[in-house]
Amino acid sequence: MIRVFGQLKKKKKKKLSFFLGNMERNTAFPLFAGNHSHINTTCSRDNLLKTVVFPVLYSFLFLVGMSLNGLAVWIFLRIPSQSHFIIYLKNIVVADVIMTFTFPFKVLSDSNMASLGLRIFVCRVSSVLFYLTMYISILFFGLISIDRCRKTLNPFKGTNATRLKYRKLLSGAIWTFLVILCLPNVMLTSKPPTSPYFQCSKLKTEAGLKWHEIVNHVCQVIFWGNLLTVIVCYTLITKELYRSYSRTNQGTTKKPRQSKRKINANVFLVLGVFFVCFVPFHFARVPYTISQTRGDRFDCKLKLFFFQLKESTLFLSSLNSLLDPLIYFFLCKSFRTTLFNTLHQLPCTCSWLIERGSDTDTGSSPQGNSSACT
């Protein structure tokens, strides 16, 4: 009887271990034994949202983003870097193009159509490039906010070759710093996967995990520092525009008031894109990170919720590559003029669009045709 009982007990353990193994493969994150003693099959990340909805959205984003950013690159190649603003915009265009190229890899990986080697490539390279370009864009949004603030408070202060040289050196330093910061994430993601179902963190060495944590802290400092910069700059811009509007409102003519309203709307476009694209993700990232690092305090459903919240706000960050061309068009007069000339259209046919933009950059169209529409 004792021998029979022992054999039955071993069979039950084998069945339980087989069941747990299957459940671990069906989930994209380890399940922790908290207050729930059973394993819920609804906690799998491979649901409709991840495998269908987001791949469709990112596919659309890739097609439209490549079209708009390809056109933006073509136009900016024709515009000389004659202002700080244009230099910053050119750097954002490059970051947006690189980010857009990562979307197809994310589509294949999330829809479970990628091979094992491609999924490893996504973990090692594609995801790193995505986050690299995101924080480059965040840094240049901060610099654009400073530049817009300077132009609003000191509208008659020009620029010179020395200042332009310093801005180009600053741009190069930003790219160099972030590439050096992110490169170890590529090199230290070198462990072979132990199963077809793996997280990217499982491919990192011990040093890679520590470096990844350091990079996360640095990126948080970059975001919150630039968020503070944007808030301070646009607070000053709002005060100055309000004073200017009040002074103009005391005049007798209506035309200056109408022009001031248009400038208000365009200047705050940068603020709107920054808050729509970057703020939600970084607020959602805090509880998601806590749920991953202190998983024993969260059940699997709550962890799944934070994962879906993070992925949803990450899509908003990706939307930045689609919204940036609006900034180029409405805030950069050189961009608009060159666009119309490149498309062989008379600027007069689009005068309502040209008039909506404020003359916020000192660069001129290489064709010298900016005053053709009267």
Side-chain angles (χ1 to χ4, degrees), residues 68-79 93 335 338-339 342-344:
L68 293 178
N69 286 294
L71 179 62
V73 170
W74 189 30
I75 293 174
F76 273 120
L77 287 175
R78 298 164 174 256
I79 301 176
V93 170
F335 184 90
T338 307
L339 173 63
T342 302
L343 297 177
H344 303 289

Side-chain angles (χ1 to χ4, degrees), residues 20-282:
L20 290 175
N22 286 336
M23 284 305 304
E24 185 177 355
R25 289 195 298 268
N26 289 331
T27 56
F29 52 88
L31 299 177
F32 292 86
N35 295 328
H36 301 276
S37 59
H38 66 282
I39 299 175
N40 197 330
T41 58
T42 61
C43 291
S44 173
R45 288 183 176 181
D46 288 335
N47 50 32
L48 183 67
L49 184 65
K50 176 180 176 291
T51 60
V52 177
V53 176
F54 282 130
V56 170
L57 292 175
Y58 276 104
S59 298
F60 171 79
L61 203 60
F62 171 73
L63 296 175
V64 179
M66 283 306 300
S67 301
L68 293 178
N69 286 294
L71 179 62
V73 170
W74 189 30
I75 293 174
F76 273 120
L77 287 175
R78 298 164 174 256
I79 301 176
S81 301
Q82 294 181 349
S83 72
H84 305 164
F85 187 55
I86 292 178
I87 292 174
Y88 300 151
L89 291 184
K90 286 184 175 181
N91 280 274
I92 291 180
V93 170
V94 175
D96 286 345
V97 170
I98 297 174
M99 175 183 283
T100 306
F101 272 120
T102 67
F103 295 159
F105 301 106
K106 183 171 178 59
V107 169
L108 293 174
S109 179
D110 288 351
S111 60
N112 295 330
M113 292 191 295
S115 63
L116 180 63
L118 186 58
R119 288 164 58 200
I120 294 174
F121 175 81
V122 169
C123 290
R124 292 195 64 185
V125 180
S126 179
S127 296
V128 175
L129 285 176
F130 177 88
Y131 287 103
L132 167 68
T133 53
M134 179 198 296
Y135 287 99
I136 283 177
S137 295
I138 289 173
L139 280 169
F140 279 104
F141 265 84
L143 291 175
I144 287 175
S145 300
I146 295 173
D147 182 71
R148 296 303 87 197
C149 185
R150 180 183 65 86
K151 292 287 289 185
T152 303
L153 299 179
N154 300 292
F156 300 106
K157 185 177 180 180
T159 185
N160 53 46
T162 303
R163 292 195 184 98
L164 292 177
K165 181 181 178 180
Y166 287 152
R167 295 310 182 277
K168 292 177 182 178
L169 290 175
L170 176 62
S171 301
I174 288 173
W175 280 90
T176 302
F177 168 72
L178 284 177
V179 168
I180 292 175
L181 183 69
C182 294
L183 190 60
N185 277 334
V186 177
M187 299 173 62
L188 298 175
T189 308
S190 56
K191 292 174 64 177
T194 56
S195 72
Y197 307 92
F198 62 87
Q199 293 177 300
C200 289
S201 59
K202 300 299 181 182
L203 304 182
K204 294 183 180 295
T205 62
E206 185 176 351
L209 290 173
K210 292 180 180 178
W211 186 259
H212 183 72
E213 185 177 357
I214 293 173
V215 171
N216 281 338
H217 291 314
V218 174
C219 289
Q220 289 294 327
V221 171
I222 290 174
F223 169 74
W224 293 105
N226 279 272
L227 177 62
L228 180 62
T229 300
V230 169
I231 291 174
V232 170
C233 287
Y234 278 93
T235 299
L236 295 175
I237 289 173
T238 302
K239 290 181 178 180
E240 180 60 28
L241 291 179
Y242 179 76
R243 293 193 195 101
S244 179
Y245 179 81
S246 299
R247 290 193 298 266
T248 306
N249 199 32
Q250 295 174 359
T252 57
T253 61
K254 293 183 179 180
K255 192 172 181 179
R257 282 204 300 269
Q258 294 171 351
S259 176
K260 187 59 63 179
R261 290 193 191 102
K262 293 170 186 175
I263 293 175
N264 288 354
N266 291 337
V267 167
F268 286 98
L269 183 61
V270 174
L271 180 67
V273 172
F274 186 89
F275 269 82
V276 168
C277 295
F278 300 125
V279 172
F281 169 72
H282 287 86

